Amino acid sequence: MTAAANAIPPLTDESAVLAWTARMRRQHPVWQGPFGGWHVFRHADVRTVLRDTDSFSSDLSRVVPGMPPRAPGMVTQFDPPEHRELRGVLSAAFTPRSIAALEPRIREVTGQLLDAAGDRFELVEALTQPLPITVIAELLGLPPQDHGLFARWTAALFEMQNGESPSDPSIGDHIGAVLAPLSRYLAERCRERRTAPGDDLISRLLTASSPGRALDDEEATNFAVTLLLAGHITTTALLGNIVRTLDEHPQVWADLHVDPTRIPPVIEEVMRYRPSFPALQRATVAPVELSGVAVPAGALVTAWILAANRDPDAHADPDRFDPGRGIGGAAQLTLGHGVHFCLGAPLARLEARVVLEELLKRTERLAIDHDRADEMVSFEQVILGPRRLPVITHPSRPGDKVTTPNS
């Protein structure tokens, strides 16, 4: 391959990234990049990387110089059996029932944000950033006056530039400096709840347990950090990608007006079509073989979810947006696979469903404001999705009435 072909396009150029990943999937399904890391593109291989925790570790400090050691409570950095124990404690506090109970509040906040936004607004600032921040902060029991801090801390992390090399030795210092104020803040909240627990997730994290296991303050703090960062940005990107995709397929809005029960399949297909996190990374702990290519131990492996989701061996006509294809189960890789399937997936799906239901009550459709297209800004790395997206509402036609399951 030439040097130009080696270059991974920025995520701001979605068409170039899609073309690059498609070409790599066909011609170089397992490829060693210019900085020594390995890249995997086929659906079957990506599933293997995500599922096989014996060969592929989530502890990237094994292979990335300068990255701090895995932090207690950071469930995304642990492998079984420690991961299983930690996840058991977290699941006891972060239950499906507790997530489902958030729906009325999510609907209330969504309605308030949409009513305040007007007919033309910037989607991220007006809706997709404040909604998940409010929901997660309230879930953790954090005061409203502090919610703005989380948006700034999250933005600082995801806007951080670490250079082109994933082995940049300064990456650990950069991440640590950005996370320090958030960690200090949440550590103080954990100490407060330890002595005076309340009816919130931090308190449940400190009191929940599985057989022989409980969280200490540091573990609870680090899980709260993970939830605030990953939970917020996942929903923000997902909602932006839903609006982008339905702007390209306006008939879907009409279909949803006729039958709002189609909302969940639309959300699943958007996640396949435009995954918020287009790639996940693992570290090999032993030599492995993928698609006939030997990958050594101690290697950083990037599993391209975006490429796997467009693999014709996994999905028929994969470049077509088709909410009727029935994506789900093991075929849906966007929220992870195997033991590391996203713990917050039910919350992200719930928030997306409620937002679409509330939009259907208020508008014919929500579209990109193409008169302000020059104001659109996307994430440059890590995340596939809009950081700024001007939109315009198309009011419902006279006589239209949308009935959602929770109307």
Side-chain angles (χ1 to χ4, degrees), residues 8-22 278 304 306 384:
I8 303 173
L11 294 178
T12 50
D13 191 344
E14 183 181 283
S15 61
V17 174
L18 285 170
W20 180 78
T21 54
W304 282 89
L306 182 65
L384 182 68

Side-chain angles (χ1 to χ4, degrees), residues 1 6 24 28 30-39 41 293-294 296 299:
M1 296 179 67
N6 276 342
M24 298 300 290
H28 304 277
V30 180
W31 170 68
Q32 187 174 20
F35 299 109
W38 293 79
H39 298 255
F41 301 93
V293 177

Side-chain angles (χ1 to χ4, degrees), residues 8 39 45 49 55 73 100 103 112 133 164 167 181 190 195 197 202 209 228 238 297 309 314 320 336 353 376 378:
I8 303 173
H39 298 255
D45 291 333
V49 171
S55 302
E103 180 167 345
Q112 291 170 349
I133 285 179
E164 296 182 0
S167 60
C190 285
T195 57
I202 288 179
S209 65
L228 268 171
L238 170 59
N309 286 357
R320 179 169 59 92
R353 174 173 63 79
M376 291 175 56
S378 296

Side-chain angles (χ1 to χ4, degrees), residues 77-98:
Q77 299 177 348
F78 280 77
D79 304 312
E82 295 92 344
H83 174 274
R84 189 178 302 110
E85 296 173 356
L86 184 59
R87 177 114 177 185
V89 181
L90 300 176
S91 296
F94 201 62
T95 64
R97 177 178 294 183
S98 67

Side-chain angles (χ1 to χ4, degrees), residues 230-384:
H232 155 219
I233 204 66
T234 297
T235 299
T236 298
L238 170 59
L239 291 171
N241 287 336
I242 288 173
V243 172
R244 288 183 61 204
T245 305
L246 298 196
D247 183 74
E248 298 164 354
H249 303 85
Q251 178 58 40
V252 176
W253 283 109
D255 295 340
L256 294 180
H257 273 279
V258 172
D259 182 7
T261 65
R262 298 178 180 179
I263 289 175
V266 167
I267 294 170
E268 295 301 312
E269 177 67 351
V270 170
M271 286 195 291
R272 181 198 71 84
Y273 195 72
R274 282 193 169 106
S276 299
F277 289 90
L280 298 175
Q281 293 182 315
R282 298 289 189 266
T284 57
V285 297
V288 294
E289 184 175 297
L290 296 166
S291 289
V293 177
V295 179
L300 180 68
V301 175
T302 299
W304 282 89
I305 307 296
L306 182 65
N309 286 357
R310 301 290 185 108
D311 188 341
D313 288 338
H315 304 291
D317 196 5
D319 292 322
R320 179 169 59 92
F321 179 73
D322 177 16
R325 73 171 64 246
I327 182 70
Q332 178 62 281
L333 299 179
T334 293
L335 294 174
H337 182 66
V339 299
H340 283 287
F341 184 79
C342 178
L343 190 64
L347 179 57
R349 287 180 167 119
L350 174 60
E351 289 172 328
R353 174 173 63 79
V354 169
V355 166
L356 282 174
E357 289 175 354
E358 292 302 309
L359 284 169
L360 289 170
K361 291 178 183 179
R362 291 168 168 77
T363 67
E364 178 184 348
R365 62 189 175 95
L366 185 68
I368 294 175
D369 189 346
H370 291 282
D371 290 339
R372 299 166 57 199
D374 59 333
E375 298 176 31
M376 291 175 56
V377 180
S378 296
F379 287 97
E380 296 180 3
Q381 57 182 0
V382 182
I383 300 156
L384 182 68

Side-chain angles (χ1 to χ4, degrees), residues 163-179:
E164 296 182 0
S165 172
S167 60
D168 181 351
S170 66
I171 185 172
D173 292 338
H174 292 169
I175 294 174
V178 171
L179 289 182

